[in-house]
Amino acid sequence: MACSADPNENLAKAEWRIREAAGRGAQIVCVQELFRSQYFCREENADLFDLAEPVPGPTSDCFSRLSRELDVAIIGSVFERRAAGVYHNTALVIDAGGELLGTYRKMHIPDDPLYYEKFYFTPGDLGFLSFETRYARVAPLVCWDQWYPEAARLAALGGAQVLFYPTAIGWHPSEKAQHGAAQRDAWRTIQRSHAIANGLYVAAVNRVGYEGPPQHGLEFWGSSFVADPFGQVVAEASVGGEETLVVECDPRRIEETRRNWPFLRDRRIDAYGGIVKRVID
Amino acid sequence: MACSADPNENLAKAEWRIREAAGRGAQIVCVQELFRSQYFCREENADLFDLAEPVPGPTSDCFSRLSRELDVAIIGSVFERRAAGVYHNTALVIDAGGELLGTYRKMHIPDDPLYYEKFYFTPGDLGFLSFETRYARVAPLVCWDQWYPEAARLAALGGAQVLFYPTAIGWHPSEKAQHGAAQRDAWRTIQRSHAIANGLYVAAVNRVGYEGPPQHGLEFWGSSFVADPFGQVVAEASVGGEETLVVECDPRRIEETRRNWPFLRDRRIDAYGGIVKRVID
């Protein structure tokens, strides 16, 4: 969805869309990253910490009520105020029935022109987690995490059947013509590769719309999709329009894929120790 | 290339093709996996250990001579006899000038119908390595390794600028119609993702041709390719025909890509320890 400057309006829209998804049979619903506001990390402005909220707090309370009413699990996204001076980019996992199963605090924090996230978000300290919801075991990961095979692997080793990536990624207007197609393709490819490497489903949920001043804002590229355990894209939204995708994910496909392409069987865990090094020099 | 049952004929063909590549300006040449024979792992037959050779040995000697004559680095592939009962699927790295810089013994060993590699190959014990050749720092990895993000990451952290994957992968005739396109696409996607995640070049060098009895053999799918540091395929061979790709890889593209998409900067090395577990349960 596209977001306005009004957090209540965005929450109302998300609620409406969650109801729509549930009405169409969804069991687990994921919203996009930081859906309650425009993507405020386009600038470094200390006043914008006002957008943060505690967890539990207004957004988790609203989603708990909704999940109880609709019998759906919800993966939310909030700008979390944990303490004065300690804020996180946090995903919520609420089970069908309304229980807040836990949170995931974004572990990989970007910092690039118009994505000044290191100013706002303390890197997560909860590690890579998965949660057993009524319908499936899910791992929430957030946006920049999607570029890290380690994150996907650790979630998979923890038993996740579906990786959910609430996301806010888009084009710089000045780069789109030259690099835009390659950027979106790389984004899609790396996430499909997590499905392949780990034999599980991947769902990427991205923002749409243009935010910021002409030529100096961001055009979020939508393209939300679900990839199956062999990396095939089974549903995909458009670049520019709001959409609710409802996609069936069959756990038998995970079993079947991992039997036929048994990558997890042959991992050389005796030889991966160097992964925890910055550079091997 | 396609391979016959005659190891000397295959070596002569490889030599001819290396000369062709050098004549077209190649500086580093990579041959396909186990190019000296047909892909013998289609069956478990102890007599086929006769195909193995020591390192240094006939193939490395031949490639050393060639690399000295042509001033090219060569990444070779041999069925290595290391000791009675200890055989490896080994890549050779020979620098321009003829020096054998070292070997890489395939770390991830598959075992699936018609790919009975665990019968033949002891898993590698040298870890994931990269080698400084005259023209670039390269990491040889072999076939099944291509499905493992850990292998690509470790090679990248060691400074590799290009990952080379000598490969022998193909379709089961009975599966091709239903799954063939998805299998080849997954193979391409996971390797492109290594280029993206690590900001380096990836070169996959696969066999072509049909080997084995009709309906019970393997149709190797070729499709050798080079991906740039953003995962874009910059050159690609056909599915069925022999081809020599000569592709320019510019180290400035690595620098530029990693500056603009600085994934390596933000790795959470404090939180990746679980990668060395089989399953986190």
Side-chain angles (χ1 to χ4, degrees), chain A residues 86-155:
Chain A
V86 181
Y87 298 79
H88 295 285
N89 186 332
T90 298
L92 313 169
V93 181
I94 296 164
D95 202 4
E99 186 193 353
L100 178 61
L101 293 180
T103 62
Y104 165 77
R105 294 183 177 130
K106 186 174 183 174
M107 291 286 283
H108 300 99
I109 308 295
D111 201 282
D112 302 298
L114 302 193
Y115 297 88
Y116 302 111
E117 295 200 13
K118 290 194 197 295
F119 177 74
Y120 293 102
F121 308 127
T122 299
D125 58 347
L126 299 173
F128 302 97
L129 302 169
S130 57
F131 299 94
E132 194 73 40
T133 73
R134 187 183 300 170
Y135 305 112
R137 190 168 181 89
V138 303
L141 292 161
V142 179
C143 202
W144 194 240
D145 292 327
Q146 60 213 172
W147 301 97
Y148 295 84
E150 293 93 342
R153 180 69 95 203
L154 287 163

Side-chain angles (χ1 to χ4, degrees), chain B residues 210-234:
Chain B
Y210 189 90
E211 300 181 13
Q215 293 311 311
H216 300 288
L218 289 171
E219 179 185 350
F220 295 95
W221 67 50
S223 312
S224 298
F225 69 90
V226 174
D228 75 11
F230 208 53
Q232 298 289 293
V233 173
V234 289

